[in-house]
Amino acid sequence: MRKKIHQIFWNIQGKELNEFPLFERSIKSIKEKNPDAEHILWSKEGCQNVIEKRLPEHLYFYNNLKYDIQRLDFIRAVILYCEGGIYVDLDLICLKNIDKLFEHKFFIHSHRHIKPKSNEYVCNDLMGSEKGFRFWKILMDESKENYAEKEKIKVYQNWKARFVLQTTGPRFVGRILKKVLPEYKPPYLVYMDTENAIQKEWKFKTKIKNKNVYYFQDYKAGTWLPNLKNND
């Protein structure tokens, strides 16, 4: 796997990067812990350019997705397929060097060690692969039919966050993973502290004894949620 670390920032809340201290801390932690890796922060324009030039067959679908968060989900697969490397959400803080993750042809993690009954089989906030890995092509191809199917279901007009999760988010990614790579066992690479505000909503307590085995700490910022008005 090429030693590239990809992150994406769009000001979908009308705010600039320097208005999100957590995001700046994420970037800093990655660069400090991985000085010999190439770090790429993708802008909205950069994302648009890569799909226009490298995968134009998906451009119409991408441009006509309902929410920006869906485009952000989809473009991760595009970037990993076209560039290779590791994608990291901006609310993940890097705890140590991630060279060992670059040794994998493909990986995507799970947080079921933290929340065993989670509806998400995998999380799409940290994942990586070699360039041209076939899983991403299948994921992109199947996104279109799945999206058209889910768009017709009336319940998703009110459950907008669930619509995102089921069309481009981790629940969709998990279904495709089970279909394409049924023997794959998602590793545990990330932990969360009980101090994180979102965990109060999750109603569980972390039972992690050795934090040193993890590569990232997840702060679950959820900055995309306010953009879905009347969200459940």
Side-chain angles (χ1 to χ4, degrees), residues 1 5 37 65 89 106 134 194 219 229:
M1 188 190 300
I5 302 174
L65 287 165
D89 259 5
F106 166 82
R134 183 169 170 265
T194 52
Y219 282 82
K229 295 181 180 178

Side-chain angles (χ1 to χ4, degrees), residues 49-105:
N49 287 338
V50 73
I51 196 168
E52 283 182 1
K53 294 177 180 179
R54 308 283 288 278
L55 293 170
E57 64 270 28
H58 295 296
L59 183 59
Y60 180 84
F61 174 72
Y62 174 80
N63 284 340
N64 286 277
L65 287 165
K66 191 171 185 179
Y67 302 114
D68 270 341
I69 183 58
Q70 292 171 313
R71 277 179 278 278
L72 284 163
D73 281 339
F74 189 82
I75 204 66
R76 301 170 197 190
V78 172
I79 290 169
L80 291 176
Y81 184 74
C82 293
E83 298 285 332
I86 294 174
Y87 168 81
V88 185
D89 259 5
L90 283 167
D91 56 358
L92 296 182
I93 301 299
C94 189
L95 302 175
K96 61 183 181 180
N97 183 274
I98 64 171
D99 276 355
K100 287 187 177 180
L101 296 182
F102 287 109
E103 296 174 4
H104 300 276
K105 290 184 177 180

